[in-house]
Amino acid sequence: MSHSLSAPIVVVARRSPDVRVHTFVSSFLDNNIANATHIIEGPTKLVLVDSQFLAPYARRFREYADTLGKPIERLYLSHRHPDHWFGLGTAFRDVPVHALAETVDFLREHGADSLADHWKMGDFLPDGVVVPDGIVRPGEETIDGIRYVFDVVTDTEIDYHLTIKLPELGVCVAQDLVYSGTHLYLSSDLHRWIRVLGQLLAEDHDMFLAGHGLPADRNEVARNIEYLSAAAAAAADGLTGTDFKNFMLARYPERRCPGIFDIYLPRLFGGAASY
Ligand SMILES: [Zn+2]
């Protein structure tokens, strides 16, 4: 597997008098999948979401956080897919990491297998697995004067996914429930995923921080629903493998990062390991 190391993109997605929300996106080019990680910068502390995939981007994300000149209070890991946690071992070993209990259990039991399964990545891999030391439960918490609302979403892009809502900022950190401008990583229950996105649209957020691509608006969430509906219809019509991929590429030529098909198709249609 070869990855081009084009420059990442950094945007300040939202600002208020006391808060800035930063989004750091790895490359959209070649085999990269535009991994998006975020920083909620409060008056005195930083809270991070996810850690990047490839080691060079994890280091760049950490360097960017350090330029803000405030301590990292904690990092929330949204779910167990490796493109979200591999970077922990590269650049965030000194940071408290919090995740859903199911995510923590998975990393403890299967993290080493997942690393071994990606041996072809070579120098882009972390030195080892960081198992999160904090458990997130649904509910609310105020950190550095900012209200965070945590929820668990089951059986969509992944079995257990954490969402983080910042009600005063109108921001929903949706991570892999929303793919912004890129092809989606599809899983088995697309109809449930569609329902969850419909619920998010009915709530009071006007910005959705995606796990891939730039911060999204409601229109992009609606386009995700349409994409999932088209994929569900294609699968119901019996399309699989390369036929399915070609159908989606032809239907959504504007979406970036087609490399994601080759990651999920063997799992969706071929019974490959889910990590
Ligand atoms: Zn992802």
Side-chain angles (χ1 to χ4, degrees):
M1 193 187 296
S2 71
H3 291 272
S4 169
L5 289 177
S6 329
I9 295 165
V10 181
V11 298
V12 176
R14 180 131 292 176
R15 17 177 135 235
S16 75
D18 291 326
V19 186
R20 289 195 298 174
V21 178
H22 310 251
T23 290
F24 176 106
V25 185
S26 72
S27 177
F28 287 80
L29 300 174
D30 304 303
N31 292 329
N32 289 296
I33 48 176
N35 283 101
T37 49
H38 315 284
I39 302 171
I40 296 109
E41 179 190 3
T44 67
K45 296 170 182 170
L46 308 178
V47 169
L48 276 51
V49 180
D50 290 343
S51 65
Q52 289 292 321
F53 185 27
L54 308 183
Y57 288 116
R59 284 191 283 270
R60 293 283 290 274
F61 180 47
R62 177 62 191 258
E63 286 163 16
Y64 179 74
D66 289 344
T67 64
L68 300 176
K70 297 173 185 174
I72 301 173
E73 171 75 7
R74 67 183 64 163
L75 185 153
Y76 287 103
L77 173 63
S78 63
H79 66 293
R80 64 175 173 81
H81 279 152
D83 54 319
H84 298 259
W85 63 263
F86 270 18
L88 294 176
T90 304
F92 298 96
R93 287 184 175 274
D94 58 328
V95 171
V97 179
H98 294 231
L100 296 171
E102 293 85 356
T103 306
V104 175
D105 287 346
F106 180 89
L107 262 65
R108 187 182 296 115
E109 289 165 25
H110 301 292
D113 297 338
S114 181
L115 268 190
D117 202 46
H118 290 80
W119 63 272
K120 286 182 182 171
M121 287 171 55
D123 289 347
F124 291 149
L125 287 175
D127 300 333
V129 178
V130 169
V131 177
D133 41 21
I135 304 287
V136 192
R137 293 179 183 83
E140 284 193 26
E141 187 171 352
T142 298
I143 305 168
D144 206 15
I146 303 161
R147 189 158 65 102
Y148 290 71
V149 179
F150 304 102
D151 277 317
V152 55
V153 173
T154 55
D155 300 323
T156 54
E157 195 256 12
I158 184 78
D159 43 9
Y160 295 94
H161 195 297
L162 174 69
T163 59
I164 305 172
K165 295 160 185 172
L166 309 171
E168 276 65 48
L169 293 164
V171 170
C172 172
V173 188
Q175 290 310 87
D176 279 9
L177 301 178
V178 176
Y179 279 68
S180 181
T182 69
H183 287 282
L184 282 67
Y185 178 108
L186 299 180
S187 55
S188 54
D189 195 345
L190 301 181
H191 294 290
R192 179 170 170 75
W193 190 350
I194 289 167
R195 285 198 301 278
V196 167
L197 290 181
Q199 288 162 8
L200 289 183
L201 279 178
E203 296 174 0
D204 202 18
H205 326 289
D206 65 354
M207 176 174 284
F208 300 84
L209 302 186
H212 298 259
L214 291 164
D217 62 8
R218 284 188 168 98
N219 277 313
E220 180 59 17
V221 178
R223 283 191 286 269
N224 273 228
I225 291 174
E226 196 222 300
Y227 186 102
L228 292 167
S229 303
D237 283 346
L239 287 185
T240 60
T242 306
D243 293 337
F244 180 87
K245 173 181 173 177
N246 290 338
F247 171 82
M248 294 303 286
L249 285 171
R251 179 142 180 176
Y252 295 100
E254 73 284 7
R255 289 204 166 259
R256 316 279 307 271
C257 306
I260 202 134
F261 285 101
D262 300 326
I263 301 174
Y264 80 75
L265 284 174
R267 296 177 176 122
L268 190 58
F269 297 120
S274 71
Y275 47 84

